[in-house]
Amino acid sequence: IYTIVPISAAGCEGTPFTVTLTINPEPLVSDQATTVCSDVACGLTLVDDIDGPTASTYNIISINSNGLSPSAGTPLVAIGVLNSNLLDDAWTNTTNAPVDVIYTIVPISAAACQGTPFTVTLTINPEPVVSNQVATLCSDIACGLTLADDIDGPTASTYNITAINSNGLSASAGTPLVANGVINSNLIDDAWTNTTNAPVDVIYTI
């Protein structure tokens, strides 16, 4: 509220009057961060600070991917998005170190007031990269294969065997099973019996 006295050219004071500026509040949102694995949805819902009005919508004004590519969600510069907009965003990191993806976002109140920009930092842990591997052996001979990671990227700690296509062969040794959390030597003793008149491929998906 400004209280103002008008003054004439002759120096006479008029009756004071007021100027009232009604200042709608701006939403206040702190920087936010989370860490996820490569290709895993970040699961982050934007959260306002306790003080101040709740943001009604958000304007994503920039995304610094630091060289990563999105693999899910809709990570785009956009106006008027909801607090759940980032929930499904996922990024692929096949480097050998964590990489930060940084969103810069402006909160908008229901009265259309803009708050101070804040950042959301997604730290994307890298995924191990393993090339397809092949071994040829005789029927009933252990494959002797130890799973080998590619040179680039982090080393795989364990492996999930999600499928085994035996193409009609039967296992004669080892433990060829669909299983999670196995180590790189899991296949080393696996052997299969082939009494057909041609080579047969047994395919593990890992």
Side-chain angles (χ1 to χ4, degrees):
I1 302 170
Y2 297 71
T3 301
I4 304 172
V5 176
I7 309 295
S8 74
C12 297
E13 293 187 2
T15 302
F17 66 97
T18 61
V19 172
T20 301
L21 306 182
T22 300
I23 312 300
N24 283 325
E26 65 180 76
L28 180 63
V29 182
S30 296
D31 293 342
Q32 298 170 44
T34 190
T35 301
V36 293
C37 288
S38 174
D39 295 331
V40 173
C42 75
L44 191 146
T45 299
L46 300 177
V47 179
D48 298 349
D49 290 1
I50 295 173
D51 296 333
T54 301
S56 176
T57 59
Y58 300 83
N59 295 343
I60 300 173
I61 60 175
S62 70
I63 302 174
N64 181 359
S65 68
N66 281 310
L68 299 190
S69 298
S71 57
T74 53
L76 298 171
V77 170
I79 303 299
V81 303
L82 300 178
N83 64 349
S84 59
N85 184 264
L86 275 63
L87 199 65
D88 297 326
D89 285 6
W91 297 81
T92 299
N93 181 5
T94 56
T95 73
N96 59 2
V99 175
D100 289 340
V101 175
I102 303 169
Y103 299 67
T104 302
I105 303 174
V106 176
I108 310 295
S109 72
C113 295
Q114 293 189 7
T116 302
F118 66 98
T119 60
V120 171
T121 301
L122 307 181
T123 299
I124 312 299
N125 282 327
E127 62 181 81
V129 178
V130 182
S131 298
N132 293 334
Q133 298 172 42
V134 177
T136 300
L137 51 145
C138 291
S139 173
D140 295 328
I141 299 297
C143 75
L145 190 147
T146 299
L147 301 176
D149 299 347
D150 291 1
I151 295 173
D152 295 332
T155 301
S157 174
T158 61
Y159 302 83
N160 295 342
I161 300 174
T162 61
I164 301 174
N165 180 359
S166 67
N167 282 312
L169 300 190
S170 297
S172 58
T175 54
L177 297 172
V178 170
N180 291 338
V182 303
I183 59 176
N184 64 349
S185 60
N186 183 265
L187 277 62
I188 202 165
D189 295 325
D190 285 6
W192 298 83
T193 299
N194 181 6
T195 56
T196 72
N197 60 1
V200 174
D201 289 338
V202 174
I203 303 169
Y204 297 70
T205 302
I206 304 173

